[in-house]
Structure formats: C-alpha cells, structure tokens
Amino acid sequence: MLRGARRTVLNFPSPFLGENWTQRIKFPFCCLIWRLQFPPLLLLGVTCHAVVGSLWRPSLQGNANLLHLSRNRSNPEQGYCERGARLVSSLDFWTLSSENLIAVLPTDPVKENYVRKVKNCVFSIAFPTPFQSRVRLVAVSKEVLEDILDLDLSVSETDDFIQLVSGGKIVFGSIPLAHRYGGHQFGIWADQLGDGRAHLIGIYMNRQGEKWELQLKGSGKTPYSRNGDGRAILRSSLREFLCSEAMHYLGIPTSRAASLVVSDDVVWRDQFYNGNLAKERGAVVLRVAKSWFRIGSLEILTHSGELDLLRMLLDFIIQEYFPLVDVKEPNRYVDFFSIVVFETAQLIALWMSVGFAHGVCNTDNFSLLSITIDYGPFGFMEAYNPDFVPNTSDDERRYKIGNQANIGMFNLNKLLQALNPLLNPRQKQLATQILKEYPVLYYTRFRELFKAKLGLLGKSEGDDDLIAFLLHLMEKTEADFTMTFRQLSEITQSQLQELVIPQEFWALKMISKHKLFPAWVSQYLSRLKSNISDSDSERRKRMTGPPPPASSPPSFPEAFCS
C-alpha cells in the first residue's frame, strides 16, 4: 500500500483532535462506578544483586555499523544558552550516550546475541539487526524531533537519519541495550521476558536539560526474543505511532513516537490467529520516554533472588526519576511506592475518561513512571460497553476496559510483593495501607474527569449518581461514548429542557430513546443550575478543554494511613 507513498510529517495542533479532548477518534468509556471491585491483597517477596562496568566497550561486536558522530553533550563548555537558541541541522552535531545506565547498573557478561536465560544484570548489550532491503521513512513527528530531540526537521531527510532510526547504524559512543525484565501475564508469573524486539540506543539530554531514552521497536532479535523473530510490522507500528502521539495530545502520560520506517523485508504474521500466516513488511518505530523501567523490571530480580541488585536498581530509579523521594531516607521505598500507587490511579482514570483499553495490562507493560507504554492490541471503545476487549487473544476478557482499574490494583500488589524483601515490618504495614487507598485515589480522579466532561462546577453529593446514571443509559442504548459527551457540550440547556434533540446530535438521540432519559436530563439540568453565572458557551469550553489538573497526593506515606 505504501509503495511510492510520501513521508508524512505529523505536526498536530494542541489539543490533538481539535478543540475537544474527546473529539473525533471515538473514545468510549466503561465501568459504572459501582461495578469496580478490587481483588484482595496478596503479599509475597522480592530480590536483587551486584554491579558491573563497561570496560569492554572497545571489544563490542554487533550487527549494526557505527555512525561516527561528533560529541555534543549539553554542558557549559559548549555554550548551553547558545545551543538552546537553535536546533541541530546535522547529526554530525548530535549524540547519544548509554553511560548513565551501564556505569551504574550491571550488564550481561555474555556478549553474544542469542536467546538465553540471563542472570545477575539489568541489561544485555545487543545490537540492532539492519534490514536487508531498502528502507523508507513513512512518518516523523515534527514536535518530537524539534522539542524533545533538538533536531531540525530537515535532518529527517538525510540518509544518516534513516540509518539511525532503522537500526542500520549506531551513534558513536552509544551502546545499544536490551532490558531484562519479567512479568505476570494474564495473572500468571511468566518468568523472564525482556526486550525481545526492542533496543535502547541511548539517552539524549536536550536543551531544556531533560533526559530522554530512545528505543527502536522492531529492530531485531535480542537474548530475550524467546521464539520471536525480533521484528515488528507496518500495521502494528503505524498504530503505535499514531496512538502514542494522540494520547499525548489528549493529555495522557505516554511514550512518544519520533519516526516510523518501513522496509521490503518479509515478516510472517498470523493476523487473525487462525493459523494462516501471511507476508507483511518489517517496520521500526523510534519511540522515546523518560524511562522504560516497568513493574516487571523489579519482579524479575525478586523472583531470581537477586536482592542486592534489586536494591541497587531501586536506588538508581529513585535517584533518576523520583526527585521528590530522598534516596538516603530509610523509608524511601515506601515513599516511592506511594507515588507509583497515586500516579497509576491517575493514569488509569485518564484511560477511562477517553475510553482507552490498553489490551495487555501485564505487569511487564506497566511503567514505574506511570506512563502509557507498549502499545499492542489496544483499542478505543465506540459503542459504550464495559466489556469491550480489544485483544482477540484475551479469551477470558481479563483486560476488558471495565476491569482496568482492578488490574491496576493487581499489578500494584505485584509491585509491593517485589518490594517486600527490602521492607521492615512497619514499612510493609505502611505500604499495605497505601495500596488499600488506591480505590479512593482512582475514584477521586475518575470523578474529577467525568465532572469536567459534564461541565460541572463545585461539589454535589449527587455527582456520582449523575455520572453513573448517564453511563447506564449509554450502555443500555449502546451510545457512542466520545460523541455523547461531545454533543452534550454542543446542545443548549433549553434544547435539553424541551427534550428536543436535533438530528445532528445522533448519539444523544440514541440515548433519548431510553425511557429514563428525561429523568436524567432533569437531574443534569438541576445540577447545572448550581453553576452560578454560567452559560452554554462557558460550559462548552470546560467540556471541550483538556483534562483538569489532578489533586495533589499526600506528602508522606503516613498521610495515607491516618
């Protein structure tokens, strides 16, 4: 389909889909408030181990060639202010480095790239496998290139850039890494998983002083590939590129996509899981995130008994990514856990507010920084259905959209089990109490988001019932989730009062067929009257604006337990 296709530059306005953060891509929702039931807490254990350096760098061997680029670190010697005033117009003046990771965290002493059981390390050094056929740039995010990577858009036209983002060449000074992690998949411990088709090609510090980790997805086999071929295909890569950028513009924490390339290499895939393999084309996404560490990064160390390494990795993660936590504080792991619990509740509530179903909420796909990562068989609901499942292989519907908050609780419990060997009895008690507060944190954010979607101001005891009542009507009438809220923002209060629903408001018209719709409208209009000096236009602005800011979490773990 893309033979001869032109490269697409994505330069989305903000917010991404026009003036409404729930507009156009059909994002429905799910899970009536009273349906959320949380599983009981389980307490298990954790482990960890040692340190290794990178003294062997000159002897590293790999499949990718070196792209010899001059050093260009963000430092005073280079003139930080002068550098901040312009974008880099050539990769000759741009660099990556892996030193921040491998100088502290041990790497796999086995240098050869073959599938194996890996122990006593956090990363394996693994080079991408270049494509054998021609490679073309399909899409690039102008904002990611310019605002995150300090690259002028013109750089994307160069062969050096194509080679870099396809895994054909590696920036001089960078050592590509595959991350070792484990995870609970569909509720069952799956042992070692890891980056089976992804390579972390380095960390970039931009002119704002932000560190971003760059990862190629679909770039070939690693020690963690198991039975896979290490490749990604155009179909799934395009979905990840578009969705991660869309989620960002919807105000949801997420990894970002910088570029997408496609090759003529043949990759075999069973698209419908019916035993019929078909030829597809290999593709690679360059994606960026502040960190790719996930719950499974800690779980694998606990299950392997590597407690010293667990402590080392945790301290590194806290030092690098959790500035509010004092790494010298004895309760630092409890402080860390409290932040992850809070932020995970916020993230899942945001998913629900746009009807996003991740599809594979395994612990190896849950970021410790509470950002959306690892886009696989995700989906956005159209007709409102709490049982919506985007993953055709999820036969038990474990990851249906209405169960995502429960799965968040399950995954956080597995994180707590991974931390337990490093906690004393009092700290375990505190952490357990923190986890019990997760439903309250989730409901609080859920309520904030849906009150904003309804244009409500202030507080009222009936707000939960008002939200749940509408979702109930939407479920019974199979109304479109996104367009219901969009059209509700556009219709006037007088039209609602008279129950006159114009034909163009087709989603609302569907709901109006339910016999209880007049009762909901009466309740809704009565609630809107408490918005003093409000108008339809002001209400519309609130309903079509970005997500409201979240409430602040308690400052100390003890605050959760009062």
Side-chain angles (χ1 to χ4, degrees):
M1 179 182 71
L2 284 170
R3 290 190 183 277
R6 293 187 177 183
R7 171 179 59 104
T8 299
V9 177
L10 292 186
N11 184 21
F12 299 128
S14 182
F16 169 62
L17 296 171
E19 62 179 337
N20 183 9
W21 62 294
T22 60
Q23 178 186 359
R24 290 189 197 164
I25 289 184
K26 296 189 175 179
F27 303 123
F29 172 88
C30 68
C31 165
L32 300 184
I33 290 179
W34 58 73
R35 286 193 176 185
L36 185 58
Q37 297 177 351
F38 294 90
L41 293 178
L42 303 174
L43 298 177
L44 296 180
V46 182
T47 28
C48 182
H49 177 49
V51 185
V52 172
S54 57
L55 303 178
W56 53 36
R57 183 180 305 158
S59 64
L60 291 176
Q61 299 294 324
N63 295 322
N65 298 318
L66 285 178
L67 182 59
H68 290 273
L69 306 178
S70 61
R71 291 274 181 179
N72 183 30
R73 293 174 180 164
S74 299
N75 57 39
E77 293 134 351
Q78 242 181 341
Y80 181 85
C81 294
E82 180 183 351
R83 178 173 174 270
R86 64 178 185 270
L87 298 174
V88 177
S89 58
S90 169
L91 286 180
D92 290 336
F93 303 100
W94 189 84
T95 192
L96 298 172
S97 175
S98 307
E99 271 187 49
N100 191 52
L101 296 173
I102 62 178
V104 178
L105 302 173
T107 55
D108 184 2
V110 179
K111 302 176 188 178
E112 291 78 14
N113 188 10
Y114 63 90
V115 176
R116 60 185 179 272
K117 181 76 171 180
V118 180
K119 296 279 289 185
N120 301 318
C121 69
V122 176
F123 296 103
S124 293
I125 295 173
F127 282 74
T129 303
F131 288 119
Q132 299 301 307
S133 63
R134 62 175 177 169
V135 179
R136 283 164 292 169
L137 185 64
V138 175
V140 62
S141 169
K142 183 175 185 290
E143 182 180 285
V144 173
L145 255 62
E146 294 185 347
D147 294 352
I148 293 179
L149 301 181
D150 298 335
L151 292 173
D152 190 273
L153 183 61
S154 62
V155 174
S156 66
E157 306 280 355
T158 66
D159 182 64
D160 277 349
F161 183 81
I162 302 296
Q163 291 296 313
L164 175 66
V165 302
S166 65
K169 293 182 179 179
I170 297 298
V171 174
F172 180 74
S174 175
I175 299 176
L177 303 171
H179 178 33
R180 172 192 175 215
Y181 53 81
H184 281 81
Q185 296 193 321
F186 293 91
I188 300 172
W189 174 245
D191 203 30
Q192 177 178 292
L193 298 168
D195 289 334
R197 54 175 176 166
H199 294 80
L200 195 160
I201 60 172
I203 300 174
Y204 179 71
M205 179 179 286
N206 65 20
R207 63 190 189 274
Q208 284 83 36
E210 302 169 335
K211 292 179 182 177
W212 290 87
E213 297 181 6
L214 280 66
Q215 187 185 78
L216 299 177
K217 182 178 179 180
S219 44
K221 286 189 175 183
T222 76
Y224 310 101
S225 294
R226 294 176 287 170
N227 297 321
D229 59 12
R231 289 301 185 191
I233 56 176
L234 180 59
R235 174 166 45 85
S236 60
S237 300
L238 186 58
R239 279 167 49 84
E240 171 156 2
F241 187 101
L242 292 173
C243 188
S244 59
E245 288 300 280
M247 293 284 273
H248 167 73
Y249 282 97
L250 288 167
I252 299 174
T254 179
S255 59
R256 303 289 303 277
S259 65
L260 168 63
V261 296
V262 65
S263 74
D264 290 331
D265 283 23
V266 173
V267 177
W268 294 91
R269 287 292 183 270
D270 181 0
Q271 180 177 356
F272 300 106
Y273 303 100
N274 58 7
N276 295 321
L277 293 175
K279 290 182 180 180
E280 303 205 38
R281 299 164 68 193
V284 172
V285 176
L286 172 61
R287 52 188 192 172
V288 302
K290 292 296 182 65
S291 168
W292 295 100
F293 288 120
R294 67 258 340 259
I295 292 175
S297 304
L298 305 179
E299 284 187 291
I300 189 67
L301 303 180
T302 298
H303 281 263
S304 300
E306 301 167 34
L307 291 179
D308 291 338
L309 184 51
L310 174 65
R311 189 182 301 276
M312 179 191 304
L313 178 57
L314 264 171
D315 287 345
F316 175 84
I317 290 172
I318 291 170
Q319 182 82 41
E320 288 291 315
Y321 311 110
F322 290 80
L324 297 180
V325 178
D326 184 354
V327 74
K328 297 179 182 180
E329 165 63 42
N331 285 331
R332 61 189 180 278
Y333 302 140
V334 181
D335 295 341
F336 159 80
F337 183 66
S338 70
I339 292 175
V340 177
V341 169
F342 177 83
E343 295 294 344
T344 299
Q346 310 304 299
L347 177 65
I348 297 179
L350 282 166
W351 286 358
M352 301 297 283
S353 73
V354 296
F356 174 77
H358 185 283
V360 192
C361 295
N362 297 325
T363 57
D364 56 293
N365 295 330
F366 257 54
S367 163
L368 288 174
L369 272 63
S370 303
I371 62 175
T372 312
I373 60 171
D374 294 356
Y375 291 86
F378 68 85
F380 291 97
M381 276 193 315
E382 294 193 18
Y384 177 82
N385 177 13
D387 293 328
F388 169 66
V389 178
N391 186 355
T392 56
S393 63
D394 187 1
D395 298 329
E396 296 181 357
R397 310 181 76 83
R398 176 181 176 83
Y399 297 137
K400 63 184 180 181
I401 192 169
N403 200 38
Q404 288 187 132
N406 294 325
I407 294 301
M409 182 79 161
F410 177 90
N411 290 349
L412 289 169
N413 182 49
K414 295 305 178 186
L415 173 60
L416 178 56
Q417 293 174 17
L419 297 176
N420 268 336
L422 304 184
L423 306 179
N424 62 36
R426 172 58 179 161
Q427 291 168 340
K428 289 179 182 178
Q429 182 184 22
L430 275 175
T432 300
Q433 290 299 318
I434 289 169
L435 184 56
K436 288 180 179 179
E437 293 299 314
Y438 168 83
V440 174
L441 296 171
Y442 171 78
Y443 285 136
T444 299
R445 186 57 173 152
F446 179 96
R447 184 184 301 111
E448 291 172 349
L449 292 168
F450 276 81
K451 283 175 62 178
K453 290 169 74 70
L454 289 174
L456 307 181
L457 294 173
K459 297 181 179 180
S460 172
E461 292 182 0
D463 286 346
D464 287 356
D465 290 339
L466 185 65
I467 296 167
F469 193 175
L470 176 60
L471 294 177
H472 173 73
L473 298 181
M474 291 169 64
E475 180 180 7
K476 293 302 181 182
T477 58
E478 298 183 341
D480 185 286
F481 175 78
T482 301
M483 296 311 297
T484 293
F485 287 98
R486 176 63 178 179
Q487 292 170 9
L488 195 60
S489 74
E490 295 171 342
I491 198 169
T492 66
Q493 293 187 51
S494 61
Q495 287 173 315
L496 280 175
Q497 179 72 54
E498 297 170 10
L499 295 176
V500 177
I501 311 297
Q503 190 60 44
E504 62 265 29
F505 298 147
W506 50 269
L508 288 178
K509 206 162 185 66
M510 287 181 64
I511 303 175
S512 69
K513 295 177 182 178
H514 197 285
K515 63 181 181 180
L516 295 179
F517 181 69
W520 181 83
V521 168
S522 176
Q523 187 176 339
Y524 178 54
L525 293 176
S526 175
R527 175 63 175 85
L528 288 179
K529 289 179 180 179
S530 64
N531 295 347
I532 309 289
S533 302
D534 199 17
S535 66
D536 283 328
S537 61
E538 290 299 317
R539 175 176 60 91
R540 183 175 300 116
K541 288 179 183 179
R542 292 194 301 275
M543 296 174 72
T544 57
S551 303
S552 299
S555 301
F556 302 100
E558 288 80 357
F560 282 99
C561 310
S562 58

